[in-house]
Amino acid sequence: MKKKLIVATGNEGKLHEIRQILKEFDFDVVSMREAGVFTEVEESSSTFEENALLKCRAIAQKTDAFVISDDSGLEVDALNGEPGIYSSRYMGEDVSYDIKNANILERMKDVPKGERSARFVCAVAAILPDKREFVVRGTMEGEIGYEIKGEHGFGYDPIFYLPEYGMTSAEILPDEKNRISHRSKALHAMREKLAGEIA
Ligand code: ITT
């Protein structure tokens, strides 16, 4: 029987990608809703790693299953790393990504081509049934584009330009994003880290 793995996220975009990426791993992936465990966590830390652990612990307290969480965001170098750990709260949690993305493009309008570097960062935390904790990070490098482009992905994908593809991460196919993304790299790094730890 496959081992149950609860993904501690309320973000449907993340959950969908995590499910796709973990397809090749031998787990029965369930959402918090499917597992019947819920919690509201204040992401009070100043790092992606600590925030991922906070979310993971909140769920792991309520279950003996294997739990993972994802804390992620967009770092724009010309904006001193903003929105960073505040990516989902940027301009307010309920503000649409059309507005958030347009705002970032506006703030970047005078930034020259060579200075538009940015990256997506993803920290994945895992807590095993015996309560041991692990955390890893993955990143995907790119640039802030000049317009909102693409229908795939979620969040800041439509302004995140990948020079090697000549497209945003909302324009490349979802399978391709899942092969190269910060989330994919972090989940694969976690698998490496846990190799041998999970009986
Ligand atoms: P949970 O805490 O419930 O997992 P959340 O959306 O609040 O959901 P975060 O605090 O980790 O999660 O915020 C991450 C934000 O960073 C997310 O809402 C997006 O705006 C952005 N982000 C992260 N990964 C992304 C990706 O692959 N593509 C586009 N935007 C991404």
Side-chain angles (χ1 to χ4, degrees), residues 8-11 14 17 32 43 48 55 70-74 84-85 87-89 93 97 100 120-121 140 153-158 169 177 181-183:
T9 178
N11 180 319
K14 280 186 189 179
E17 288 189 4
M32 295 194 297
E43 295 176 25
F48 290 107
K55 291 189 249 192
D70 162 322
D71 196 65
S72 46
L74 175 69
I85 59 163
S87 290
S88 67
R89 290 166 275 176
E93 196 98 41
Y97 276 91
K100 293 186 211 254
F120 276 123
V121 178
M140 175 167 69
F154 65 100
Y156 298 100
D157 280 321
S169 51
K177 181 184 172 195
S181 75
H182 49 312
R183 184 158 294 110

PDB file of all heavy atoms in Angstrom, residues 8-11 14 17 32 43 48 55 70-74 84-85 87-89 93 97 100 120-121 140 153-158 169 177 181-183, ligand 1:
ATOM      1  N   ALA A   8       0.377  20.283   3.151  1.00  0.00           N
ATOM      2  CA  ALA A   8      -0.181  21.350   3.990  1.00  0.00           C
ATOM      3  C   ALA A   8      -0.162  22.677   3.245  1.00  0.00           C
ATOM      4  O   ALA A   8       0.681  23.532   3.498  1.00  0.00           O
ATOM      5  CB  ALA A   8       0.615  21.451   5.289  1.00  0.00           C
ATOM      6  N   THR A   9      -1.083  22.831   2.300  1.00  0.00           N
ATOM      7  CA  THR A   9      -1.203  24.129   1.615  1.00  0.00           C
ATOM      8  C   THR A   9      -2.665  24.412   1.319  1.00  0.00           C
ATOM      9  O   THR A   9      -3.439  23.492   1.074  1.00  0.00           O
ATOM     10  CB  THR A   9      -0.401  24.165   0.289  1.00  0.00           C
ATOM     11  OG1 THR A   9      -0.608  25.446  -0.335  1.00  0.00           O
ATOM     12  CG2 THR A   9      -0.814  23.089  -0.694  1.00  0.00           C
ATOM     13  N   GLY A  10      -3.006  25.689   1.345  1.00  0.00           N
ATOM     14  CA  GLY A  10      -4.350  26.105   0.963  1.00  0.00           C
ATOM     15  C   GLY A  10      -4.355  26.681  -0.440  1.00  0.00           C
ATOM     16  O   GLY A  10      -5.385  27.167  -0.913  1.00  0.00           O
ATOM     17  N   ASN A  11      -3.212  26.655  -1.110  1.00  0.00           N
ATOM     18  CA  ASN A  11      -3.075  27.260  -2.441  1.00  0.00           C
ATOM     19  C   ASN A  11      -3.280  26.175  -3.512  1.00  0.00           C
ATOM     20  O   ASN A  11      -2.472  25.255  -3.632  1.00  0.00           O
ATOM     21  CB  ASN A  11      -1.679  27.897  -2.527  1.00  0.00           C
ATOM     22  CG  ASN A  11      -1.417  28.553  -3.863  1.00  0.00           C
ATOM     23  OD1 ASN A  11      -1.769  28.026  -4.914  1.00  0.00           O
ATOM     24  ND2 ASN A  11      -0.776  29.708  -3.830  1.00  0.00           N
ATOM     25  N   LYS A  14      -0.394  25.625  -6.140  1.00  0.00           N
ATOM     26  CA  LYS A  14       0.710  24.833  -5.583  1.00  0.00           C
ATOM     27  C   LYS A  14       0.327  23.364  -5.501  1.00  0.00           C
ATOM     28  O   LYS A  14       1.104  22.490  -5.870  1.00  0.00           O
ATOM     29  CB  LYS A  14       0.989  25.267  -4.145  1.00  0.00           C
ATOM     30  CG  LYS A  14       1.796  26.483  -3.957  1.00  0.00           C
ATOM     31  CD  LYS A  14       2.034  26.591  -2.443  1.00  0.00           C
ATOM     32  CE  LYS A  14       2.647  27.888  -2.059  1.00  0.00           C
ATOM     33  NZ  LYS A  14       2.834  27.977  -0.604  1.00  0.00           N
ATOM     34  N   GLU A  17       0.459  21.571  -8.753  1.00  0.00           N
ATOM     35  CA  GLU A  17       1.831  21.308  -9.210  1.00  0.00           C
ATOM     36  C   GLU A  17       2.492  20.227  -8.365  1.00  0.00           C
ATOM     37  O   GLU A  17       3.178  19.346  -8.887  1.00  0.00           O
ATOM     38  CB  GLU A  17       2.661  22.596  -9.149  1.00  0.00           C
ATOM     39  CG  GLU A  17       2.258  23.590 -10.221  1.00  0.00           C
ATOM     40  CD  GLU A  17       3.203  24.782 -10.324  1.00  0.00           C
ATOM     41  OE1 GLU A  17       4.232  24.839  -9.615  1.00  0.00           O
ATOM     42  OE2 GLU A  17       2.893  25.681 -11.122  1.00  0.00           O
ATOM     43  N   MET A  32      -5.116  18.860   2.490  1.00  0.00           N
ATOM     44  CA  MET A  32      -5.597  19.006   3.872  1.00  0.00           C
ATOM     45  C   MET A  32      -7.094  18.710   3.923  1.00  0.00           C
ATOM     46  O   MET A  32      -7.571  18.061   4.841  1.00  0.00           O
ATOM     47  CB  MET A  32      -5.346  20.427   4.382  1.00  0.00           C
ATOM     48  CG  MET A  32      -3.872  20.767   4.488  1.00  0.00           C
ATOM     49  SD  MET A  32      -3.564  22.260   5.442  1.00  0.00           S
ATOM     50  CE  MET A  32      -4.370  23.518   4.472  1.00  0.00           C
ATOM     51  N   GLU A  43       2.280  33.237   9.187  1.00  0.00           N
ATOM     52  CA  GLU A  43       3.637  33.034   8.661  1.00  0.00           C
ATOM     53  C   GLU A  43       4.519  34.138   9.228  1.00  0.00           C
ATOM     54  O   GLU A  43       4.821  35.112   8.567  1.00  0.00           O
ATOM     55  CB  GLU A  43       3.602  33.010   7.132  1.00  0.00           C
ATOM     56  CG  GLU A  43       2.822  31.814   6.636  1.00  0.00           C
ATOM     57  CD  GLU A  43       2.666  31.778   5.120  1.00  0.00           C
ATOM     58  OE1 GLU A  43       3.498  32.359   4.416  1.00  0.00           O
ATOM     59  OE2 GLU A  43       1.691  31.147   4.668  1.00  0.00           O
ATOM     60  N   PHE A  48      11.897  31.737   4.222  1.00  0.00           N
ATOM     61  CA  PHE A  48      11.030  30.749   3.578  1.00  0.00           C
ATOM     62  C   PHE A  48      11.081  29.432   4.358  1.00  0.00           C
ATOM     63  O   PHE A  48      10.049  28.790   4.575  1.00  0.00           O
ATOM     64  CB  PHE A  48      11.504  30.504   2.135  1.00  0.00           C
ATOM     65  CG  PHE A  48      11.265  31.654   1.197  1.00  0.00           C
ATOM     66  CD1 PHE A  48      12.320  32.442   0.753  1.00  0.00           C
ATOM     67  CD2 PHE A  48       9.988  31.944   0.730  1.00  0.00           C
ATOM     68  CE1 PHE A  48      12.109  33.496  -0.124  1.00  0.00           C
ATOM     69  CE2 PHE A  48       9.768  32.995  -0.152  1.00  0.00           C
ATOM     70  CZ  PHE A  48      10.829  33.773  -0.575  1.00  0.00           C
ATOM     71  N   LYS A  55       4.170  26.025   8.916  1.00  0.00           N
ATOM     72  CA  LYS A  55       2.955  25.463   8.294  1.00  0.00           C
ATOM     73  C   LYS A  55       2.922  23.952   8.476  1.00  0.00           C
ATOM     74  O   LYS A  55       1.881  23.364   8.738  1.00  0.00           O
ATOM     75  CB  LYS A  55       2.927  25.793   6.793  1.00  0.00           C
ATOM     76  CG  LYS A  55       2.716  27.264   6.494  1.00  0.00           C
ATOM     77  CD  LYS A  55       2.474  27.482   5.005  1.00  0.00           C
ATOM     78  CE  LYS A  55       3.606  28.198   4.353  1.00  0.00           C
ATOM     79  NZ  LYS A  55       3.313  28.681   2.997  1.00  0.00           N
ATOM     80  N   ASP A  70       4.979  23.928   1.640  1.00  0.00           N
ATOM     81  CA  ASP A  70       5.747  24.713   0.662  1.00  0.00           C
ATOM     82  C   ASP A  70       5.600  26.179   1.021  1.00  0.00           C
ATOM     83  O   ASP A  70       4.483  26.671   1.152  1.00  0.00           O
ATOM     84  CB  ASP A  70       5.137  24.398  -0.726  1.00  0.00           C
ATOM     85  CG  ASP A  70       5.453  25.387  -1.841  1.00  0.00           C
ATOM     86  OD1 ASP A  70       5.496  26.610  -1.598  1.00  0.00           O
ATOM     87  OD2 ASP A  70       5.596  24.928  -2.983  1.00  0.00           O
ATOM     88  N   ASP A  71       6.713  26.847   1.249  1.00  0.00           N
ATOM     89  CA  ASP A  71       6.648  28.305   1.380  1.00  0.00           C
ATOM     90  C   ASP A  71       7.498  28.860   0.249  1.00  0.00           C
ATOM     91  O   ASP A  71       8.664  28.498   0.092  1.00  0.00           O
ATOM     92  CB  ASP A  71       7.164  28.795   2.730  1.00  0.00           C
ATOM     93  CG  ASP A  71       6.719  30.232   2.950  1.00  0.00           C
ATOM     94  OD1 ASP A  71       5.496  30.471   3.056  1.00  0.00           O
ATOM     95  OD2 ASP A  71       7.571  31.142   2.979  1.00  0.00           O
ATOM     96  N   SER A  72       6.887  29.713  -0.537  1.00  0.00           N
ATOM     97  CA  SER A  72       7.571  30.127  -1.757  1.00  0.00           C
ATOM     98  C   SER A  72       7.315  31.588  -2.054  1.00  0.00           C
ATOM     99  O   SER A  72       6.499  32.238  -1.393  1.00  0.00           O
ATOM    100  CB  SER A  72       7.124  29.232  -2.921  1.00  0.00           C
ATOM    101  OG  SER A  72       5.726  29.077  -2.926  1.00  0.00           O
ATOM    102  N   GLY A  73       7.998  32.097  -3.055  1.00  0.00           N
ATOM    103  CA  GLY A  73       7.786  33.488  -3.422  1.00  0.00           C
ATOM    104  C   GLY A  73       8.730  33.933  -4.515  1.00  0.00           C
ATOM    105  O   GLY A  73       9.599  33.182  -4.953  1.00  0.00           O
ATOM    106  N   LEU A  74       8.515  35.165  -4.923  1.00  0.00           N
ATOM    107  CA  LEU A  74       9.281  35.780  -6.007  1.00  0.00           C
ATOM    108  C   LEU A  74      10.223  36.826  -5.418  1.00  0.00           C
ATOM    109  O   LEU A  74       9.767  37.716  -4.693  1.00  0.00           O
ATOM    110  CB  LEU A  74       8.302  36.460  -6.980  1.00  0.00           C
ATOM    111  CG  LEU A  74       8.914  37.273  -8.120  1.00  0.00           C
ATOM    112  CD1 LEU A  74       9.620  36.360  -9.124  1.00  0.00           C
ATOM    113  CD2 LEU A  74       7.840  38.101  -8.832  1.00  0.00           C
ATOM    114  N   GLY A  84       9.326  38.716  -2.125  1.00  0.00           N
ATOM    115  CA  GLY A  84       9.964  37.751  -1.224  1.00  0.00           C
ATOM    116  C   GLY A  84       8.985  36.943  -0.393  1.00  0.00           C
ATOM    117  O   GLY A  84       7.993  36.416  -0.919  1.00  0.00           O
ATOM    118  N   ILE A  85       9.263  36.878   0.910  1.00  0.00           N
ATOM    119  CA  ILE A  85       8.380  36.053   1.773  1.00  0.00           C
ATOM    120  C   ILE A  85       6.976  36.644   1.864  1.00  0.00           C
ATOM    121  O   ILE A  85       6.056  35.986   2.348  1.00  0.00           O
ATOM    122  CB  ILE A  85       8.950  35.859   3.204  1.00  0.00           C
ATOM    123  CG1 ILE A  85       9.161  37.207   3.893  1.00  0.00           C
ATOM    124  CG2 ILE A  85      10.232  35.025   3.173  1.00  0.00           C
ATOM    125  CD1 ILE A  85       9.328  37.086   5.401  1.00  0.00           C
ATOM    126  N   SER A  87       5.182  37.421  -0.747  1.00  0.00           N
ATOM    127  CA  SER A  87       4.602  37.317  -2.091  1.00  0.00           C
ATOM    128  C   SER A  87       3.091  37.173  -2.105  1.00  0.00           C
ATOM    129  O   SER A  87       2.408  37.806  -2.907  1.00  0.00           O
ATOM    130  CB  SER A  87       5.245  36.156  -2.853  1.00  0.00           C
ATOM    131  OG  SER A  87       6.586  36.481  -3.158  1.00  0.00           O
ATOM    132  N   SER A  88       2.530  36.334  -1.232  1.00  0.00           N
ATOM    133  CA  SER A  88       1.065  36.170  -1.290  1.00  0.00           C
ATOM    134  C   SER A  88       0.364  37.345  -0.615  1.00  0.00           C
ATOM    135  O   SER A  88      -0.763  37.680  -0.943  1.00  0.00           O
ATOM    136  CB  SER A  88       0.610  34.832  -0.718  1.00  0.00           C
ATOM    137  OG  SER A  88       0.855  34.778   0.646  1.00  0.00           O
ATOM    138  N   ARG A  89       1.061  38.017   0.305  1.00  0.00           N
ATOM    139  CA  ARG A  89       0.441  39.149   1.024  1.00  0.00           C
ATOM    140  C   ARG A  89       0.709  40.486   0.329  1.00  0.00           C
ATOM    141  O   ARG A  89       0.180  41.516   0.753  1.00  0.00           O
ATOM    142  CB  ARG A  89       1.006  39.220   2.460  1.00  0.00           C
ATOM    143  CG  ARG A  89       0.548  38.073   3.334  1.00  0.00           C
ATOM    144  CD  ARG A  89       1.366  37.956   4.611  1.00  0.00           C
ATOM    145  NE  ARG A  89       2.575  37.180   4.423  1.00  0.00           N
ATOM    146  CZ  ARG A  89       3.515  36.981   5.347  1.00  0.00           C
ATOM    147  NH1 ARG A  89       3.371  37.522   6.542  1.00  0.00           N
ATOM    148  NH2 ARG A  89       4.586  36.259   5.083  1.00  0.00           N
ATOM    149  N   GLU A  93      -3.719  40.292   0.710  1.00  0.00           N
ATOM    150  CA  GLU A  93      -3.982  38.886   0.371  1.00  0.00           C
ATOM    151  C   GLU A  93      -5.097  38.735  -0.669  1.00  0.00           C
ATOM    152  O   GLU A  93      -5.053  37.837  -1.502  1.00  0.00           O
ATOM    153  CB  GLU A  93      -4.392  38.163   1.667  1.00  0.00           C
ATOM    154  CG  GLU A  93      -4.340  36.658   1.613  1.00  0.00           C
ATOM    155  CD  GLU A  93      -3.053  36.099   2.219  1.00  0.00           C
ATOM    156  OE1 GLU A  93      -2.599  36.612   3.262  1.00  0.00           O
ATOM    157  OE2 GLU A  93      -2.525  35.161   1.615  1.00  0.00           O
ATOM    158  N   TYR A  97      -3.983  38.766  -8.824  1.00  0.00           N
ATOM    159  CA  TYR A  97      -2.632  38.741  -9.391  1.00  0.00           C
ATOM    160  C   TYR A  97      -2.522  39.624 -10.626  1.00  0.00           C
ATOM    161  O   TYR A  97      -1.417  40.071 -10.948  1.00  0.00           O
ATOM    162  CB  TYR A  97      -2.151  37.297  -9.620  1.00  0.00           C
ATOM    163  CG  TYR A  97      -1.588  36.773  -8.316  1.00  0.00           C
ATOM    164  CD1 TYR A  97      -2.402  36.107  -7.405  1.00  0.00           C
ATOM    165  CD2 TYR A  97      -0.276  37.025  -7.960  1.00  0.00           C
ATOM    166  CE1 TYR A  97      -1.901  35.694  -6.187  1.00  0.00           C
ATOM    167  CE2 TYR A  97       0.240  36.620  -6.738  1.00  0.00           C
ATOM    168  CZ  TYR A  97      -0.580  35.952  -5.860  1.00  0.00           C
ATOM    169  OH  TYR A  97      -0.083  35.566  -4.641  1.00  0.00           O
ATOM    170  N   LYS A 100      -1.465  42.755  -8.786  1.00  0.00           N
ATOM    171  CA  LYS A 100      -0.107  42.627  -8.218  1.00  0.00           C
ATOM    172  C   LYS A 100       0.931  42.629  -9.342  1.00  0.00           C
ATOM    173  O   LYS A 100       1.965  43.307  -9.261  1.00  0.00           O
ATOM    174  CB  LYS A 100       0.029  41.313  -7.429  1.00  0.00           C
ATOM    175  CG  LYS A 100      -0.816  41.218  -6.149  1.00  0.00           C
ATOM    176  CD  LYS A 100      -0.450  39.928  -5.399  1.00  0.00           C
ATOM    177  CE  LYS A 100      -1.560  39.305  -4.611  1.00  0.00           C
ATOM    178  NZ  LYS A 100      -1.510  39.442  -3.170  1.00  0.00           N
ATOM    179  N   PHE A 120      12.256  32.618  -8.514  1.00  0.00           N
ATOM    180  CA  PHE A 120      11.277  32.006  -7.628  1.00  0.00           C
ATOM    181  C   PHE A 120      12.041  31.137  -6.641  1.00  0.00           C
ATOM    182  O   PHE A 120      12.981  30.421  -7.017  1.00  0.00           O
ATOM    183  CB  PHE A 120      10.316  31.107  -8.414  1.00  0.00           C
ATOM    184  CG  PHE A 120       9.157  31.827  -9.040  1.00  0.00           C
ATOM    185  CD1 PHE A 120       8.929  31.754 -10.406  1.00  0.00           C
ATOM    186  CD2 PHE A 120       8.260  32.546  -8.251  1.00  0.00           C
ATOM    187  CE1 PHE A 120       7.842  32.399 -10.980  1.00  0.00           C
ATOM    188  CE2 PHE A 120       7.169  33.204  -8.821  1.00  0.00           C
ATOM    189  CZ  PHE A 120       6.960  33.123 -10.190  1.00  0.00           C
ATOM    190  N   VAL A 121      11.630  31.222  -5.395  1.00  0.00           N
ATOM    191  CA  VAL A 121      12.241  30.423  -4.330  1.00  0.00           C
ATOM    192  C   VAL A 121      11.158  29.532  -3.724  1.00  0.00           C
ATOM    193  O   VAL A 121      10.015  29.976  -3.554  1.00  0.00           O
ATOM    194  CB  VAL A 121      12.808  31.345  -3.213  1.00  0.00           C
ATOM    195  CG1 VAL A 121      13.403  30.522  -2.073  1.00  0.00           C
ATOM    196  CG2 VAL A 121      13.839  32.302  -3.786  1.00  0.00           C
ATOM    197  N   MET A 140      14.402  28.950  -9.094  1.00  0.00           N
ATOM    198  CA  MET A 140      14.351  29.018 -10.560  1.00  0.00           C
ATOM    199  C   MET A 140      14.673  30.465 -10.951  1.00  0.00           C
ATOM    200  O   MET A 140      13.966  31.393 -10.549  1.00  0.00           O
ATOM    201  CB  MET A 140      12.960  28.617 -11.071  1.00  0.00           C
ATOM    202  CG  MET A 140      12.798  28.792 -12.574  1.00  0.00           C
ATOM    203  SD  MET A 140      11.325  27.979 -13.256  1.00  0.00           S
ATOM    204  CE  MET A 140       9.989  28.959 -12.568  1.00  0.00           C
ATOM    205  N   GLY A 153      -0.007  28.062 -15.120  1.00  0.00           N
ATOM    206  CA  GLY A 153       0.604  28.425 -13.844  1.00  0.00           C
ATOM    207  C   GLY A 153      -0.346  29.227 -12.966  1.00  0.00           C
ATOM    208  O   GLY A 153      -1.574  29.152 -13.098  1.00  0.00           O
ATOM    209  N   PHE A 154       0.215  30.055 -12.115  1.00  0.00           N
ATOM    210  CA  PHE A 154      -0.586  30.858 -11.181  1.00  0.00           C
ATOM    211  C   PHE A 154       0.285  32.012 -10.684  1.00  0.00           C
ATOM    212  O   PHE A 154       1.452  32.144 -11.098  1.00  0.00           O
ATOM    213  CB  PHE A 154      -1.085  29.978 -10.019  1.00  0.00           C
ATOM    214  CG  PHE A 154       0.009  29.436  -9.121  1.00  0.00           C
ATOM    215  CD1 PHE A 154       0.295  30.041  -7.911  1.00  0.00           C
ATOM    216  CD2 PHE A 154       0.757  28.328  -9.496  1.00  0.00           C
ATOM    217  CE1 PHE A 154       1.310  29.547  -7.087  1.00  0.00           C
ATOM    218  CE2 PHE A 154       1.767  27.824  -8.677  1.00  0.00           C
ATOM    219  CZ  PHE A 154       2.040  28.442  -7.470  1.00  0.00           C
ATOM    220  N   GLY A 155      -0.265  32.836  -9.818  1.00  0.00           N
ATOM    221  CA  GLY A 155       0.518  33.875  -9.137  1.00  0.00           C
ATOM    222  C   GLY A 155       1.300  34.774 -10.088  1.00  0.00           C
ATOM    223  O   GLY A 155       0.752  35.395 -11.008  1.00  0.00           O
ATOM    224  N   TYR A 156       2.602  34.838  -9.866  1.00  0.00           N
ATOM    225  CA  TYR A 156       3.466  35.745 -10.630  1.00  0.00           C
ATOM    226  C   TYR A 156       4.002  35.138 -11.929  1.00  0.00           C
ATOM    227  O   TYR A 156       4.810  35.770 -12.619  1.00  0.00           O
ATOM    228  CB  TYR A 156       4.650  36.194  -9.751  1.00  0.00           C
ATOM    229  CG  TYR A 156       4.220  36.970  -8.518  1.00  0.00           C
ATOM    230  CD1 TYR A 156       4.152  36.359  -7.270  1.00  0.00           C
ATOM    231  CD2 TYR A 156       3.863  38.317  -8.607  1.00  0.00           C
ATOM    232  CE1 TYR A 156       3.743  37.062  -6.137  1.00  0.00           C
ATOM    233  CE2 TYR A 156       3.456  39.028  -7.487  1.00  0.00           C
ATOM    234  CZ  TYR A 156       3.399  38.400  -6.254  1.00  0.00           C
ATOM    235  OH  TYR A 156       2.989  39.095  -5.150  1.00  0.00           O
ATOM    236  N   ASP A 157       3.563  33.933 -12.283  1.00  0.00           N
ATOM    237  CA  ASP A 157       4.084  33.297 -13.509  1.00  0.00           C
ATOM    238  C   ASP A 157       3.966  34.190 -14.751  1.00  0.00           C
ATOM    239  O   ASP A 157       4.901  34.212 -15.565  1.00  0.00           O
ATOM    240  CB  ASP A 157       3.372  31.956 -13.767  1.00  0.00           C
ATOM    241  CG  ASP A 157       3.921  30.824 -12.910  1.00  0.00           C
ATOM    242  OD1 ASP A 157       5.151  30.779 -12.708  1.00  0.00           O
ATOM    243  OD2 ASP A 157       3.128  29.991 -12.446  1.00  0.00           O
ATOM    244  N   PRO A 158       2.862  34.930 -14.951  1.00  0.00           N
ATOM    245  CA  PRO A 158       2.739  35.697 -16.209  1.00  0.00           C
ATOM    246  C   PRO A 158       3.734  36.846 -16.379  1.00  0.00           C
ATOM    247  O   PRO A 158       3.841  37.399 -17.470  1.00  0.00           O
ATOM    248  CB  PRO A 158       1.289  36.244 -16.142  1.00  0.00           C
ATOM    249  CG  PRO A 158       0.580  35.351 -15.187  1.00  0.00           C
ATOM    250  CD  PRO A 158       1.601  34.949 -14.163  1.00  0.00           C
ATOM    251  N   SER A 169       6.889  31.852 -17.457  1.00  0.00           N
ATOM    252  CA  SER A 169       6.589  30.535 -16.865  1.00  0.00           C
ATOM    253  C   SER A 169       5.082  30.262 -16.882  1.00  0.00           C
ATOM    254  O   SER A 169       4.656  29.176 -16.509  1.00  0.00           O
ATOM    255  CB  SER A 169       7.183  30.392 -15.464  1.00  0.00           C
ATOM    256  OG  SER A 169       6.840  31.470 -14.631  1.00  0.00           O
ATOM    257  N   LYS A 177       7.229  23.413 -16.911  1.00  0.00           N
ATOM    258  CA  LYS A 177       7.454  24.171 -15.663  1.00  0.00           C
ATOM    259  C   LYS A 177       7.749  23.201 -14.520  1.00  0.00           C
ATOM    260  O   LYS A 177       8.666  23.426 -13.726  1.00  0.00           O
ATOM    261  CB  LYS A 177       6.241  25.052 -15.325  1.00  0.00           C
ATOM    262  CG  LYS A 177       6.482  25.855 -14.042  1.00  0.00           C
ATOM    263  CD  LYS A 177       5.314  26.683 -13.556  1.00  0.00           C
ATOM    264  CE  LYS A 177       5.638  27.252 -12.174  1.00  0.00           C
ATOM    265  NZ  LYS A 177       4.480  27.775 -11.457  1.00  0.00           N
ATOM    266  N   SER A 181      11.056  23.861 -12.282  1.00  0.00           N
ATOM    267  CA  SER A 181      10.682  24.894 -11.303  1.00  0.00           C
ATOM    268  C   SER A 181      11.399  24.761  -9.962  1.00  0.00           C
ATOM    269  O   SER A 181      11.906  23.697  -9.600  1.00  0.00           O
ATOM    270  CB  SER A 181       9.174  24.889 -11.081  1.00  0.00           C
ATOM    271  OG  SER A 181       8.806  23.783 -10.275  1.00  0.00           O
ATOM    272  N   HIS A 182      11.389  25.844  -9.230  1.00  0.00           N
ATOM    273  CA  HIS A 182      11.840  25.914  -7.830  1.00  0.00           C
ATOM    274  C   HIS A 182      11.163  24.822  -7.001  1.00  0.00           C
ATOM    275  O   HIS A 182      11.778  24.158  -6.198  1.00  0.00           O
ATOM    276  CB  HIS A 182      11.523  27.311  -7.285  1.00  0.00           C
ATOM    277  CG  HIS A 182      10.113  27.784  -7.543  1.00  0.00           C
ATOM    278  ND1 HIS A 182       9.517  27.696  -8.787  1.00  0.00           N
ATOM    279  CD2 HIS A 182       9.162  28.313  -6.723  1.00  0.00           C
ATOM    280  CE1 HIS A 182       8.277  28.175  -8.719  1.00  0.00           C
ATOM    281  NE2 HIS A 182       8.052  28.543  -7.475  1.00  0.00           N
ATOM    282  N   ARG A 183       9.873  24.611  -7.262  1.00  0.00           N
ATOM    283  CA  ARG A 183       9.090  23.628  -6.493  1.00  0.00           C
ATOM    284  C   ARG A 183       9.567  22.210  -6.816  1.00  0.00           C
ATOM    285  O   ARG A 183       9.733  21.384  -5.922  1.00  0.00           O
ATOM    286  CB  ARG A 183       7.608  23.836  -6.873  1.00  0.00           C
ATOM    287  CG  ARG A 183       6.608  23.004  -6.141  1.00  0.00           C
ATOM    288  CD  ARG A 183       5.224  23.646  -6.184  1.00  0.00           C
ATOM    289  NE  ARG A 183       5.219  24.898  -5.444  1.00  0.00           N
ATOM    290  CZ  ARG A 183       5.122  26.105  -6.010  1.00  0.00           C
ATOM    291  NH1 ARG A 183       4.954  26.245  -7.318  1.00  0.00           N
ATOM    292  NH2 ARG A 183       5.173  27.194  -5.260  1.00  0.00           N
TER     293      ARG A 183
HETATM  294  P1  ITT B   1      -0.055  28.249   1.631  1.00  0.00           P
HETATM  295  O1  ITT B   1       0.695  29.058   2.656  1.00  0.00           O
HETATM  296  O2  ITT B   1      -1.380  27.770   2.100  1.00  0.00           O
HETATM  297  O3  ITT B   1       0.776  27.144   1.054  1.00  0.00           O
HETATM  298  P2  ITT B   1       0.143  30.713   0.071  1.00  0.00           P
HETATM  299  O4  ITT B   1      -0.319  31.087  -1.308  1.00  0.00           O
HETATM  300  O5  ITT B   1      -0.196  31.644   1.203  1.00  0.00           O
HETATM  301  O6  ITT B   1      -0.393  29.219   0.379  1.00  0.00           O
HETATM  302  P3  ITT B   1       2.957  31.324   0.329  1.00  0.00           P
HETATM  303  O7  ITT B   1       2.819  32.118   1.565  1.00  0.00           O
HETATM  304  O8  ITT B   1       4.100  30.346   0.230  1.00  0.00           O
HETATM  305  O9  ITT B   1       1.680  30.453   0.019  1.00  0.00           O
HETATM  306  O10 ITT B   1       3.016  32.328  -0.889  1.00  0.00           O
HETATM  307  C1  ITT B   1       3.588  31.971  -2.086  1.00  0.00           C
HETATM  308  C2  ITT B   1       3.232  33.000  -3.134  1.00  0.00           C
HETATM  309  O11 ITT B   1       4.378  33.154  -4.006  1.00  0.00           O
HETATM  310  C3  ITT B   1       2.114  32.497  -4.013  1.00  0.00           C
HETATM  311  O12 ITT B   1       0.871  32.899  -3.511  1.00  0.00           O
HETATM  312  C4  ITT B   1       2.471  33.119  -5.359  1.00  0.00           C
HETATM  313  O13 ITT B   1       2.026  34.415  -5.401  1.00  0.00           O
HETATM  314  C5  ITT B   1       3.985  33.145  -5.346  1.00  0.00           C
HETATM  315  N1  ITT B   1       4.507  31.948  -6.001  1.00  0.00           N
HETATM  316  C6  ITT B   1       5.135  30.881  -5.424  1.00  0.00           C
HETATM  317  N2  ITT B   1       5.422  29.935  -6.322  1.00  0.00           N
HETATM  318  C7  ITT B   1       4.959  30.390  -7.509  1.00  0.00           C
HETATM  319  C8  ITT B   1       4.938  29.856  -8.799  1.00  0.00           C
HETATM  320  O14 ITT B   1       5.396  28.647  -9.058  1.00  0.00           O
HETATM  321  N3  ITT B   1       4.390  30.594  -9.763  1.00  0.00           N
HETATM  322  C9  ITT B   1       3.895  31.812  -9.512  1.00  0.00           C
HETATM  323  N4  ITT B   1       3.848  32.384  -8.321  1.00  0.00           N
HETATM  324  C10 ITT B   1       4.380  31.682  -7.306  1.00  0.00           C
END
